[in-house]
Amino acid sequence: MQRAFEPQTPRRSFLVGAAAGVAAALGGGPGETADARGPVGAARGGGSRTLELPGFVDLQVNGFAGVDFGDPATTADDVRRALAAIESTGVTRLLPTLISSSPETFAACARTLLRTGHPAIAGIHMEGPYISPADGPRGAHERAHVTSADPDDFRRRHAAAEGRIRLVTLAPEVPGALALVEQLVASGVRVAIGHTQATGAQIRDAASAGATLSTHLGNGCAGTLPRHPNLLWEQLAEDRLLASFIVDGHHLPPSTVRAMIRAKTPARTILVTDAMAAAGMPPGVYTIGGQKVELDATGRVRAPGAPNLAGSALTLPVAIGNTVRFTGLTLEEVLAMATTRPAEYVGVRPAGTVAAEWDAESCSLRVLRVTP
């Protein structure tokens, strides 16, 4: 079985096609940039312009609008309310994300998510529990729930999720990880590297086994790394891996976003929010996977007294605007990172359309209307 996104012609064709799809949505040909032509429904010229775009696709959403997808107390009605709020930001396809937890908690949360029958749910992103147990790489995941990569454990979780786990984030260095990567890929489940302290050899071995993504690259790792080699350089240089980034101005500084996307290339970049219950809410105390965290007035989310971030309060329109501003890329190039590219990566199509207003001067994208 050929693995998706091998560094051969099929993947290159997909990347070209993804960019062309967004170009068509913006109303121009392959040789035009977003800033060089008038948008659909608006006159040519400077200032703001109205666009009709494919629905956004977010591969990492832990919760939204006060709702924690990883809390067993969350109800199906809570999830529907959160999904309606997410849809208002332009996201019409997403992977609700469940971080490391016990099999019982995972099963309860997965069933609640799927019980909604909501068409926006394209599957589940299982982030952990097969990740590094070390402080720093583990991030906000509870140490008690982190474990080695066990095929039987995954089968139980996959069955509880009705076979709808579509993406698994794991650390290549944990016992059993590489064998599990091969099994997951053979069964059609995408595998990402994250929350890791893997060596270069372990990262390359994971890519050879079929891993195709780096989850929120630049985060979920030790705060201090060797100058070189280190796991960031290794993943940036590994062409078999796409990379997702949280571009909220907190997880990565602007210059880091610019350098990392230049290294990985826009064609291998996916934007995610890693949003949790605080997204779309005022500063206060919320939960991620049942753990208490605080959203402060600057937009940072972290456990009280902890140095590491714990998800985000980001939305994809803000991530798109930040990425254009931080990198100098065209809006067209960045939109593909939040629409066609993540959709193709998990084997779905963007759904519906988003009418939005783009202000080039402030690099802000305002959603006006969403048609799922």
Side-chain angles (χ1 to χ4, degrees):
M1 177 178 178
Q2 184 179 358
R3 295 188 184 109
F5 305 104
E6 298 272 339
Q8 281 100 21
T9 302
R11 182 165 79 169
R12 292 195 185 101
S13 298
F14 147 63
L15 296 172
V16 171
V22 174
L26 287 169
E32 295 182 289
T33 67
D35 291 334
R37 63 179 177 271
V40 175
R44 292 179 182 268
S48 63
R49 52 202 180 100
T50 303
L51 308 169
E52 183 128 339
L53 308 169
F56 304 150
V57 181
D58 195 340
L59 303 186
Q60 192 165 7
V61 185
N62 307 281
F64 206 90
V67 177
D68 179 1
F69 294 158
D71 185 346
T74 294
T75 67
D77 283 343
D78 293 332
V79 173
R80 292 186 188 97
R81 176 166 52 84
L83 293 175
I86 294 169
E87 186 177 278
S88 72
T89 71
V91 174
T92 58
R93 287 284 185 271
L94 74 155
L95 296 187
T97 302
L98 299 177
I99 66 172
S100 301
S101 63
S102 69
E104 295 77 18
T105 294
F106 178 90
C109 294
R111 288 170 183 148
T112 298
L113 288 164
L114 298 173
R115 194 178 303 135
T116 65
H118 200 289
I121 297 178
I124 289 175
H125 178 173
M126 191 174 106
E127 187 187 6
Y130 321 131
I131 60 171
S132 171
D135 291 346
R138 193 180 71 253
H141 295 237
E142 286 193 78
R143 173 66 182 84
H145 298 311
V146 172
T147 184
S148 58
D150 180 350
D152 290 334
D153 176 77
F154 177 77
R155 278 193 287 270
R156 288 191 293 270
R157 292 172 188 259
H158 202 35
E162 301 173 10
R164 295 192 63 192
I165 296 174
R166 197 173 283 264
L167 174 62
V168 173
T169 293
L170 52 71
E173 73 274 18
V174 305
L178 296 180
L180 183 60
V181 171
E182 291 179 341
Q183 293 176 38
L184 294 178
V185 172
S187 67
V189 177
R190 297 285 193 267
V191 178
I193 296 171
H195 290 282
T196 180
Q197 49 184 351
T199 64
Q202 289 166 334
I203 289 166
R204 291 190 294 274
D205 287 346
S208 295
T212 46
L213 180 70
S214 297
T215 288
H216 51 49
L217 188 58
N219 302 111
C221 60
T224 302
L225 295 169
R227 180 176 55 186
H228 47 71
N230 64 51
L231 79 173
L232 299 181
W233 292 118
E234 295 289 349
Q235 290 178 83
L236 286 170
E238 178 52 76
D239 288 345
R240 291 173 291 181
L241 298 174
L242 280 72
S244 67
F245 296 98
I246 307 168
V247 188
D248 61 355
H250 301 296
H251 281 78
L252 300 169
S255 59
T256 302
V257 172
R258 184 163 60 251
M260 283 188 163
I261 293 179
R262 282 178 180 174
K264 181 50 71 175
T265 76
R268 295 189 183 94
T269 296
I270 290 172
L271 298 182
V272 295
T273 62
D274 199 20
M276 44 77 65
M281 301 295 285
V285 177
Y286 301 92
T287 64
I288 180 170
Q291 304 174 66
K292 285 188 178 180
V293 295
E294 293 179 346
L295 170 65
D296 68 21
T298 72
R300 289 177 178 264
V301 181
R302 65 180 71 208
N308 56 284
L309 298 169
S312 84
L314 182 65
T315 64
L316 270 182
V318 173
I320 291 165
N322 285 344
T323 304
V324 173
R325 185 166 65 254
F326 294 173
T327 65
L329 293 169
T330 65
L331 177 62
E332 174 187 307
E333 290 172 300
V334 174
L335 282 168
M337 302 173 186
T339 55
T340 51
R341 192 159 303 124
E344 179 68 17
Y345 179 72
V346 293
V348 301
R349 292 178 178 273
T353 58
V354 175
E357 183 180 68
W358 171 249
D359 188 307
E361 184 174 351
S362 63
C363 289
S364 62
L365 186 69
R366 185 168 67 94
V367 173
L368 304 174
R369 183 178 63 261
V370 181
T371 304

